[in-house]
Amino acid sequence: MEIVHTPHAMTAWAQEQRHSGRRIGLVPTMGYLHAGHLSLVDEAKKNADAVAVSIFVNPTQFGPNEDFASYPRNAACDVALCREADVAAVFLPAPETMYAPDASVFVDEDVLCHGLCGASRPGHFKGVCTVVAKLFNIVLPDVAVFGQKDFQQAAIIRRMVRDLNFPVSIIIAPTLREPDGLAMSSRNAYLSTEERRQAVGLSRALDALMEGMPPSGTVLRHRMRDILEQHGLRVDYAEIVDAETLTPVEKISKGNVALIAAYCGTTRLIDNRVL
Ligand code: AMP
């Protein structure tokens, strides 16, 4: 397995793969890998000959008061997990190799990014789109795999690929969960024992949507909020939206998506379910 630290060397690796006729699969991550990330690697392996995992805590997608500095990192463990998972290359760039100090060109999706996580994290998706566009240019993937766990992110990446004609197929893979239903996340490492107990409220609120035929968006939003609050969580949003436009819906139909963001102590967690 190659461990690559600069964009230049990563592109050289990618060009070599392409010249040898190998299809490249990319799994972009911020590291602190868990089984959810590794399930994306498995999905990438099914659709490509050589899988690259990028591990980069991207500063431009964090707001000034967010957890960039404290975001959990363990490169040695991540590299070992990638080796075990038969990854072909790990891209571990230093931030200064990714952004020029005077970088002034960004990718900014302008419709899907305003609600949900975009409302509470201004600038977040601009950072995400920019880094993913850069990773596509650096790693030259034929296919890239993202998690449904970050539903809004997946929708925005798809839109970016469509609107900017990136020659990359996007695969969205299902969310892996702990035995009690909590969606796996690197940020779960922040939770105290008590908060970990509360955190199950996110998946419980989504489970409750499946009980009985959904009456209306308003009723379901309240149902989710009640369950989140019963678990001691502070609600950021609890929404039901159209899967493509991400706009709130009132009359529920199959394929609508319920999305939740809630604070467990100071840790902001997200989850979603397609109805
Ligand atoms: P992150 O490292 O949190 O930026 O996540 C990197 C990728 O892994 C994103 O495409 C996420 O949607 C995906 N991911 C995160 N958590 C999970 C999970 N529990 N199951 C499946 N994919 C996940």
Side-chain angles (χ1 to χ4, degrees):
M1 185 178 80
E2 301 275 334
I3 302 171
V4 186
H5 293 284
T6 66
H8 185 77
M10 192 66 223
T11 303
W13 176 87
Q15 281 168 337
E16 196 185 307
Q17 300 303 313
R18 288 187 153 245
H19 287 146
S20 311
R22 284 192 277 273
R23 277 169 58 82
I24 298 173
L26 171 64
V27 178
T29 81
M30 297 206 299
Y32 214 70
L33 301 182
H34 51 65
H37 295 117
L38 297 175
S39 72
L40 305 190
V41 170
D42 286 342
E43 191 57 37
K45 278 160 66 180
K46 287 186 213 152
N47 291 278
D49 306 305
V51 172
V53 173
S54 61
I55 297 175
F56 181 56
V57 184
N58 172 38
T60 66
Q61 70 189 68
F62 288 81
N65 299 318
E66 292 186 345
D67 57 343
F68 173 70
S70 60
Y71 194 84
R73 293 163 168 89
N74 189 341
C77 183
D78 290 345
V79 165
L81 287 170
C82 286
R83 208 183 289 284
E84 249 173 65
D86 207 17
V87 165
V90 174
F91 181 42
L92 257 173
E96 59 274 18
T97 70
M98 285 293 278
Y99 292 103
D102 58 348
S104 56
V105 178
F106 302 91
V107 180
D108 206 359
E109 192 284 331
D110 198 25
V111 169
L112 304 177
C113 73
H114 295 301
L116 306 169
C117 287
S120 29
R121 305 188 68 187
H124 170 66
F125 289 113
K126 180 176 172 183
V128 169
C129 285
T130 302
V131 81
V132 170
K134 287 165 73 73
L135 289 168
F136 287 173
N137 286 333
I138 293 165
V139 184
L140 309 174
D142 297 277
V143 54
V145 186
F146 294 84
Q148 188 197 312
K149 158 88 188 338
D150 297 272
F151 192 92
Q152 187 177 18
Q153 167 175 284
I156 290 174
I157 298 293
R158 275 191 158 133
R159 183 64 66 92
M160 177 184 86
V161 163
R162 186 197 76 179
D163 288 355
L164 297 185
N165 302 88
F166 279 99
V168 183
S169 303
I170 301 297
I171 296 176
I172 308 302
T175 302
L176 249 73
R177 296 175 180 280
E178 301 292 351
D180 66 356
L182 175 66
M184 289 180 184
S185 163
S186 307
R187 287 192 170 96
N188 293 349
Y190 293 143
L191 303 174
S192 68
T193 312
E194 175 54 22
E195 288 166 351
R196 175 64 187 79
R197 267 194 289 271
Q198 295 175 336
V200 76
L202 279 93
S203 62
R204 292 286 182 278
L206 294 167
D207 291 342
L209 298 177
M210 304 302 180
E211 290 160 12
M213 201 40 223
S216 74
T218 304
V219 171
L220 292 183
R221 285 179 192 98
H222 281 119
R223 198 186 280 180
M224 289 193 285
R225 279 183 176 268
D226 287 348
I227 293 171
L228 291 166
E229 283 163 8
Q230 282 160 19
H231 282 81
L233 301 166
R234 183 162 65 81
V235 183
D236 178 4
Y237 63 77
E239 257 310 344
I240 315 257
V241 302
D242 176 90
E244 294 299 317
T245 63
L246 304 186
T247 49
V249 291
E250 189 49 33
K251 186 176 176 306
I252 307 299
S253 50
K254 198 164 177 260
N256 289 158
V257 191
L259 301 108
I260 287 173
Y263 287 91
C264 193
T266 54
T267 304
R268 187 175 174 280
L269 299 175
I270 59 172
D271 201 352
N272 66 79
R273 179 123 354 133
V274 177
L275 300 178

